Amino acid sequence: DVKVTQSSRYLVKRTGEKVFLECVQDMDHENMFWYRQDPGLGLRLIYFSYDVKMKEKGDIPEGYSVSREKKERFSLILESASTNQTSMYLCASSLGRRWDYTFGSGTRLTVV
Amino acid sequence: GNSVTQMEGPVTLSEEAFLTINCTYTATGYPSLFWYVQYPGEGLQLLLKATKADDKGSNKGFEATYRKETTSFHLEKGSVQVSDSAVYFCALAGANSKLTFGKGITLSVRP
């Protein structure tokens, strides 16, 4: 089975800190995605990547950046964390033009 | 742009009750449609899909039919179980392998 592993299940950071959320997949998927999940808003796409060193903005990229130096790893970076970035962050990957994404278990980030 | 609208929740049912969760979409062209499920403490996983009009997706007793004329993809199950308690997301596939998700609906099933 494909696994998508997110490095932390829970994370607490202070306002203004630089935060790194890591995601690793083990099945050679080209596509990787970062979403945030908020009550009443569902899943919103932050950034995605179709290949190494490639990235594209999703629907809500402001305040975030990403890095994909290796195919299996896709990092989400909060340059200067703010309280409105408190959320559940979900990483996903997929193969080619397949729509059956594999999701990680999520990282619940709290910014205080 | 593409969008997915799900009925408001949460939904609470007794075990063995019939379930319908409504989903409608707005999209250009002919998108593929999906239902994803998120069990407590887990990430999302694909429940079922339909790639063209009149297709029926099914899995684990759940079904949904792609209705182009009403732009709908409602999820149904004839007899729900406690283990079906989860959050359900309707989604459509747009360009470049991107999925657009609805807001999700929480289903709680009482014994």
Side-chain angles (χ1 to χ4, degrees), chain B residues 39-83:
Chain B
Y39 297 105
E42 299 182 13
L44 280 71
Q45 55 186 272
L46 179 65
L47 179 60
L48 53 83
K49 66 182 179 183
T51 57
K52 61 183 187 296
D54 299 324
D55 266 4
K56 177 185 284 188
S58 61
N59 186 24
K60 298 183 180 180
F62 291 89
E63 292 183 339
T65 301
Y66 187 163
R67 301 284 187 203
K68 182 171 175 290
E69 63 275 14
T70 55
T71 62
S72 65
F73 193 54
H74 304 323
L75 182 67
E76 296 182 336
K77 187 173 186 182
S79 176
V80 293
Q81 305 301 311
V82 172
S83 57

Side-chain angles (χ1 to χ4, degrees), chain A residues 5-104:
Chain A
T5 303
Q6 294 183 231
S7 54
S8 303
R9 190 77 177 96
Y10 298 94
L11 212 51
V12 180
K13 295 292 182 181
R14 295 192 181 278
T15 301
E17 275 193 77
K18 190 170 186 176
V19 181
F20 292 85
L21 302 183
E22 304 289 346
C23 175
V24 176
Q25 50 93 4
D26 66 0
M27 275 298 286
D28 207 34
H29 282 181
E30 295 96 336
N31 310 318
M32 296 189 76
F33 308 85
W34 274 107
Y35 288 87
R36 62 177 284 177
Q37 181 179 8
D38 299 288
L41 297 176
L43 271 70
R44 293 179 291 167
L45 182 63
I46 305 172
Y47 267 96
F48 59 102
S49 170
Y50 294 136
D51 203 349
V52 176
K53 296 191 186 296
M54 176 273 174
K55 61 185 178 184
E56 286 196 34
K57 293 180 180 179
D59 301 318
I60 53 163
E62 296 78 19
Y64 303 94
S65 62
V66 290
S67 172
R68 193 163 182 203
E69 296 296 318
K70 294 184 177 182
K71 192 174 185 179
E72 67 270 19
R73 185 180 297 269
F74 192 37
S75 303
L76 180 69
I77 304 157
L78 286 66
E79 297 292 343
S80 177
S82 63
T83 54
N84 64 11
Q85 292 178 310
T86 291
S87 186
M88 171 69 85
Y89 289 88
L90 292 170
C91 177
S93 71
S94 71
L95 181 65
R97 289 193 64 79
R98 292 175 62 90
W99 310 112
D100 46 345
Y101 289 11
T102 299
F103 279 84

Side-chain angles (χ1 to χ4, degrees), chain B residues 96-110:
Chain B
N96 298 324
S97 302
K98 283 169 53 181
L99 285 178
T100 298
F101 288 88
K103 292 183 179 181
I105 186 170
T106 300
L107 169 66
S108 298
V109 181
R110 298 181 302 228

